[in-house]
Amino acid sequence: MMDENIERLKKQFPLLDYLRSRQWSARRAGHQQEFVGLCPFHRETKPSFYVNAAKNLFYCHGCGRGGDLIRWIQLSLGLSFRESVEHLKRELGQGADPPLQLLEQTTSFYQCQLHRHAEAAHYLAQRGLRDPDLIQRLRIGYAPGGNLRRHLAGLGYSLDLLLQAGLINDQGRDAFCRRVIFPCPQQGRVINLYGRSIGSAFPHRFLPRPNGGLFAWESVNQFPTVILVEGLFDLAVLWQAGFCNTTCAFGTHLTPAQLSQLCDGSGRQLFIVFDRDANHAGQQSAAALAHRLQGAGLKVRIAELPDGHDPNSYFVAGATAADFARCLDRAHTLPL
């Protein structure tokens, strides 16, 4: 009976779909149901990681690892077999935790809506985001309102669950209506959604659940130099300009977990690039954070943009990657 339940569980989320939801890129490899891409378990430049979609199995010819979806979870998260089964159940909404698969499917739905609504594409262009590859990489979407509930109900999610997750408000409407959506990933999973209003509603909205750590930290922490900004649009324009060592903390006040992430690498240099506010709030927050991080042993410099600008508005106003690089070159340290 246990084996039957596990097989049923794996069939609910095909291995290929699961890996793609974690940004694994692949191409077809000869056989119609076989795909190949870079191995997520070791560094390589020539793809050797194969997935057989028909058999729901993977195998890497480079490191010799292989197996099914549960084995992939074991290897990627360092869990036991039983822990991996429970982890997958939670993602599919069968455990006690809120179903992360619900957020994954909501993200995919919003992604599909983005290019169907000219107002969303126009808003992104206004904010300086024009690179379709970057928009796809960040999985940016749009919530037009009016159709999320019907879509998720068709996938079997109850209204009570959607209300509990914060996706639907008490009137049964899309809580993110008329917002551009950024999913917040952690260890390859969507753990929250950020919505930026394109209308007159309150500009910022998250689901009522933790945002996690620093944005995209799994990739950014590989760099010896890291750029810290306030918001996701700041991060997006910097990634677009080639500064992929940028992360954000969703504001200027870092959580203990985010502070711990910044301090997890010895010798790391950090550039703080907060908003250049007229009331000096951004500058004061940057100075306070710099003092705190310097005390923890980090090399911290504060980069100052022209008055009234944040990184997003700076690029929208016509700044280039070279202009921003000069701001970093002029960044200053604070006395200990």
Side-chain angles (χ1 to χ4, degrees), residues 58-73:
F58 72 88
Y59 183 77
C60 177
H61 293 277
C63 64
R65 295 180 174 96
D68 58 12
L69 174 57
I70 293 175
R71 180 58 178 162
W72 190 91
I73 293 173

Side-chain angles (χ1 to χ4, degrees), residues 103 106-107 110 114 120 123-124 127 138-144 148 166-167 174-185 190-209 211 215 231-233 248 250:
L103 301 187
T106 301
T107 297
Y110 285 149
L114 179 65
Y123 181 80
L124 288 182
R127 299 299 298 265
L138 292 173
R139 304 188 68 193
I140 299 173
Y142 179 60
L148 176 68
L167 291 167
D174 188 340
F176 285 103
C177 182
R178 295 203 70 214
R179 281 178 164 83
V180 167
I181 307 297
F182 286 78
C184 303
V190 178
I191 65 167
N192 208 327
L193 300 174
Y194 166 72
R196 183 64 166 85
S197 173
I198 70 172
S200 58
F202 183 76
H204 310 289
R205 170 161 286 176
F206 288 93
L207 292 176
R209 54 187 293 124
N211 301 336
F215 189 86
L232 284 169
F233 276 101
C248 88
F250 313 109

Side-chain angles (χ1 to χ4, degrees), residues 289-311:
L289 179 59
H291 278 300
R292 188 172 185 179
L293 292 173
Q294 283 180 170
L298 263 70
K299 301 172 185 175
V300 184
R301 299 172 67 186
I302 298 175
E304 296 184 351
L305 301 174
D307 288 343
H309 278 298
D310 55 37

Side-chain angles (χ1 to χ4, degrees), residues 75-95:
L75 292 170
S76 60
L77 300 182
L79 303 178
S80 69
F81 178 83
R82 185 174 294 276
E83 288 171 336
S84 298
V85 171
E86 293 304 316
H87 176 88
L88 187 56
K89 284 182 178 179
R90 287 194 296 271
E91 287 199 289
L92 293 170
Q94 299 176 9

Side-chain angles (χ1 to χ4, degrees), residues 224 226 266-271 293-294 296-301 333:
V226 170
S266 60
R268 176 178 291 135
Q269 177 167 255
L270 177 71
F271 287 92
L293 292 173
Q294 283 180 170
L298 263 70
K299 301 172 185 175
V300 184
R301 299 172 67 186
T333 58

Side-chain angles (χ1 to χ4, degrees), residues 10-11 16 28 32 37 43 45 68 87 94 108 122-123 130 132 139 166 214 244 250 260 267 294 318 326:
K10 289 188 290 187
K11 287 179 180 178
L16 182 62
R28 290 191 183 275
Q32 191 174 7
R43 292 184 180 274
T45 56
D68 58 12
H87 176 88
Q94 299 176 9
S108 297
H122 177 67
Y123 181 80
R130 297 180 174 85
R139 304 188 68 193
L214 296 164
C244 294
F250 313 109
S260 177
Q294 283 180 170
R326 282 191 285 272

